[in-house]
């Protein structure tokens, strides 16, 4: 028996730290394309604690103005759990409430925001669930705006990564979740509230951008995180993970060490000249509307597939979509970017010919 216990202890010591702190569910994606770089049990429905507030903030930003005045009613006053200690009837701007929501994880701020934006907590939660469905979440239901335990309130690591991906497109959201410290006015106090972001990665992991921590006994330690290095932006989720910050850092290291962002075409770069029949110009340049870039493993290089017509009829408008550029890796489409006309090519008509002659007439007469 003693020998067995000794062998088990030795085995545990030899195991890598990551193997001792695996999350119940986790995922790592690239932010621009959504390509999954790593996942483990990412589609199991689980409670997500205060990472719920990512959607609370996104819906508030999309439906309110930062300068709006939000009042803490009786439902917000004294909500259990983490709090920014709003007084009954206390007023802050929506922007200030959002800082209290995302940095200090104020449950009272969540309820105040929900009632202001949605009219009631229930209506706001329906807005949250509907917005998640629009993003592409297939297994997410919100019944609270803060994430305290409630029947039917759940998501998956995959869905939560999609929500974070969408939220991080909002510049104001990015600024808030990337802030380490902030202060808010405090009614009936001689000093301001001082908020410290609960996301320790902001101070311990280089390149961290945000986004949100969460903890309840039912959900365990949950973390949604994002970081950027060398043009590669990653978003990760760990749910029910005892060593949440260490596991997040290990996932980010895994992504940055093994993946790179490759740009094959830059925005505005000419791909090909397409012949134009019956036009005032013989051809039109097809250019990329945006960068054609995607994450690939360090050991791989993506294939660029161009889809353009052999020729075009006259009447092409500048900016008109005339084809696509697609990056693939082992048959998987990573990104598709429209190819557009760099200039207009009107039809060569009698009126156009007469106009050209008339425009040159003074010059010809002067000779």
């Amino acid at each position: 028996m003693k020998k067995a216990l000794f062998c088990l202890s030795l085995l545990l010591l030899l195991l890598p730290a990551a193997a001792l702190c695996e999350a119940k569910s986790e995922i790592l994606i690239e932010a621009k394309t959504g390509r999954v770089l790593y996942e483990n049990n990412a589609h199991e429905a689980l409670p997500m604690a205060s990472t719920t507030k990512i959607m609370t903030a996104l819906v508030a930003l999309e439906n309110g103005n930062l300068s709006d005045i939000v009042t803490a009613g009786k439902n917000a006053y004294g909500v259990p759990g983490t709090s920014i200690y709003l007084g009954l009837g206390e007023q802050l701007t929506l922007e200030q409430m959002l800082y209290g929501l995302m940095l200090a994880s104020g449950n009272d701020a969540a309820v105040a925001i929900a009632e202001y934006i949605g009219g009631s907590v229930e209506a706001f939660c329906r807005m949250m669930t509907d917005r998640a469905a629009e993003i592409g979440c297939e297994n997410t239901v919100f019944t609270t705006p803060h994430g305290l335990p409630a029947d039917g309130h759940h998501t998956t690591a995959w869905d939560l990564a999609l929500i974070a991906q969408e939220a991080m497109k909002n510049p104001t959201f990015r600024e808030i979740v990337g802030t380490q410290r902030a202060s808010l006015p405090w009614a009936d106090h001689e000093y301001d509230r001082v908020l410290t972001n609960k996301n320790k990665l902001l101070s311990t992991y280089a390149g961290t951008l945000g986004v949100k921590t969460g903890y309840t006994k039912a959900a365990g330690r949950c973390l949604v995180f994002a970081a950027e290095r060398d043009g590669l932006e990653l978003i990760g989720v760990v749910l029910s993970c005892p060593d949440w910050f260490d596991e997040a850092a290990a996932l980010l290291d895994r992504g940055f060490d093994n993946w790179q962002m490759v740009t094959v075409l830059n925005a505005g770069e000419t791909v090909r000249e397409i012949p134009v029949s019956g036009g005032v110009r013989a051809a039109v340049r097809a250019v990329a509307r945006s960068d054609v870039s995607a994450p690939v493993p360090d050991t791989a290089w993506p294939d660029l597939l161009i889809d353009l017509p052999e020729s075009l009829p006259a009447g092409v408008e500048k900016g008109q979509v005339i084809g696509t550029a697609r990056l693939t890796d082992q048959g998987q489409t990573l990104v598709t970017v429209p190819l557009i006309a760099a200039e207009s090519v009107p039809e060569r008509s009698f009126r156009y010919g007469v106009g050209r002659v008339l425009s040159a007439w003074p010059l010809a007469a002067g000779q």
Side-chain angles (χ1 to χ4, degrees):
M1 182 67 177
K2 288 183 179 180
K3 184 177 180 181
L5 288 174
F6 173 78
C7 292
L8 178 61
S9 300
L10 182 61
L11 177 62
L12 290 174
L13 286 173
L14 293 175
L15 283 172
L20 301 178
C21 61
E22 285 187 356
K24 190 171 185 179
S25 175
E26 59 188 355
I27 193 169
L28 185 71
I29 69 169
E30 190 275 321
K32 179 182 176 182
T33 64
R35 184 175 192 183
V36 177
L37 311 187
Y38 170 78
E39 64 176 310
N40 175 39
N41 195 36
H43 296 277
E44 180 182 357
L46 294 168
M48 61 290 206
S50 285
T51 60
T52 294
K53 291 166 182 162
I54 296 172
M55 182 58 86
T56 305
L58 178 61
V59 172
L61 286 167
E62 292 177 339
N63 292 275
N65 298 309
L66 294 177
S67 59
D68 291 350
I69 300 300
V70 179
T71 302
K74 60 183 178 64
N75 293 323
Y77 176 67
V79 175
T82 52
S83 171
I84 60 171
Y85 305 102
L86 291 170
L88 182 61
E90 185 175 356
Q91 294 183 325
L92 293 173
T93 66
L94 178 59
E95 181 178 25
Q96 291 166 339
M97 286 286 188
L98 287 169
Y99 274 93
L101 177 80
M102 300 306 288
L103 271 66
S105 201
N107 294 334
D108 47 357
V111 173
I113 290 169
E115 292 188 329
Y116 175 74
I117 297 293
S120 69
V121 167
E122 293 75 17
F124 185 80
C125 289
R126 287 194 293 272
M127 293 172 67
M128 294 170 68
T129 301
D130 290 345
R131 186 68 178 97
E134 290 175 3
I135 293 170
C137 301
E138 297 182 350
N139 201 0
T140 295
V141 177
F142 295 101
T143 61
T144 80
H146 41 59
L148 290 174
D151 290 341
H153 186 87
H154 65 263
T155 189
T156 66
W158 166 251
D159 283 2
L160 203 46
L162 293 181
I163 293 169
Q165 180 188 26
E166 184 71 14
M168 291 296 284
K169 295 175 184 177
N170 186 298
T172 303
F173 181 91
R174 288 177 74 97
E175 181 178 352
I176 292 172
V177 299
T179 301
Q180 293 193 47
R181 289 173 64 87
S183 60
L184 303 180
W186 201 344
D188 301 324
H189 287 71
E190 296 179 356
Y191 46 88
D192 288 345
R193 296 175 174 90
V194 177
L195 310 178
T196 300
N197 200 317
K198 293 178 178 291
N199 185 358
K200 294 180 181 179
L201 290 179
L202 286 167
S203 58
T204 62
Y205 194 90
T208 297
L209 305 171
V211 282
K212 189 70 188 75
T213 61
Y215 171 78
T216 64
K217 186 175 181 180
R221 299 189 184 278
C222 303
L223 180 64
V224 181
F225 48 94
E228 188 274 335
R229 290 182 185 175
D230 300 323
L232 181 63
E233 183 175 330
L234 306 180
I235 293 173
V237 178
V238 293
L239 298 178
S240 188
C241 181
D243 295 312
W244 47 353
F245 295 116
D246 289 342
E247 184 72 2
L251 281 174
L252 289 170
D253 283 345
R254 181 173 185 165
F256 290 128
D257 290 346
N258 295 287
W259 295 77
Q260 61 178 327
M261 198 67 176
V262 172
T263 299
V264 179
L265 290 172
N266 293 309
E269 185 175 344
T270 299
V271 177
R272 190 183 302 161
E273 286 199 347
I274 309 299
V276 177
S277 58
V280 300
R281 301 168 59 100
V284 63
R285 291 181 300 125
V287 302
R289 190 165 70 180
S290 60
D291 289 348
V292 181
S293 56
V296 294
D298 284 339
T299 56
W301 189 264
D303 296 316
L304 176 63
L305 304 179
I306 300 297
D307 183 13
L308 283 167
E310 292 296 324
S311 64
L312 289 166
V316 177
E317 298 289 337
K318 182 179 181 179
Q320 177 182 330
V321 175
I322 57 177
T324 59
R326 187 160 55 96
L327 277 185
T328 67
D329 180 32
Q330 297 180 351
Q332 177 187 359
T333 297
L334 306 179
V335 65
T336 301
V337 172
L339 300 177
I340 60 174
E343 51 272 322
S344 296
V345 184
E347 183 180 358
R348 182 185 295 276
S349 62
F350 176 76
R351 177 179 296 180
Y352 173 83
V354 171
R356 288 291 299 272
V357 170
L358 291 177
S359 66
W361 182 260
L363 178 61
Q367 294 174 349

